[in-house]
Amino acid sequence: NDVNVTLGDLKITKGSYGITDTKMIVTVKNITNEKKSYSFHIEAVDSTGKRIDEDYVYANDLAAGQTQDFEIFTYIEDSKLDAMKSATFKIIEASAY
């Protein structure tokens, strides 16, 4: 009731020198009338529900109505890349303080 969170798509691109660049943009908006901080635990799971990877977002001191974008999953092991392409992403824990 205090926050809107949007999980973007996971972007996987081949960078220079054969390095794979990865990121997902998470947008957090404080929808209250006061300054708040939030933390989110986000997981990627396969079709059987097995966790492939996880990451965290910490949005500190967002003013009333303020929005901020965060990049997560900026490092994914090569052995997990294929599984991450078809993963389901979900917020499994959220806190406001």
Side-chain angles (χ1 to χ4, degrees):
N1 295 333
D2 290 351
V3 65
N4 286 338
V5 180
T6 304
L7 302 179
D9 295 326
L10 180 66
K11 305 290 185 193
I12 301 173
T13 56
K14 286 289 186 187
S16 55
Y17 306 106
I19 297 172
T20 302
D21 294 319
T22 61
K23 71 178 175 182
M24 173 185 281
I25 303 295
V26 176
T27 302
V28 177
K29 181 176 184 178
N30 176 359
I31 58 174
T32 70
N33 292 323
E34 58 189 80
K35 182 170 36 172
K36 295 269 190 169
S37 295
Y38 306 96
S39 64
F40 303 97
H41 183 187
I42 301 166
E43 72 175 357
V45 297
D46 66 16
S47 61
T48 68
K50 179 181 176 187
R51 181 180 289 167
I52 304 165
D53 208 345
E54 63 187 329
D55 211 337
Y56 297 86
V57 169
Y58 301 100
N60 295 314
D61 297 326
L62 286 181
Q66 188 174 32
T67 300
Q68 186 174 358
D69 291 336
F70 299 88
E71 290 184 6
I72 62 171
F73 296 113
T74 56
Y75 172 75
I76 299 171
E77 295 174 28
D78 288 342
S79 62
K80 296 180 179 180
L81 282 174
D82 285 337
M84 290 291 283
K85 291 176 185 176
S86 60
T88 299
F89 298 90
K90 52 188 167 180
I91 299 168
I92 59 171
E93 184 177 14
S95 299
Y97 46 95

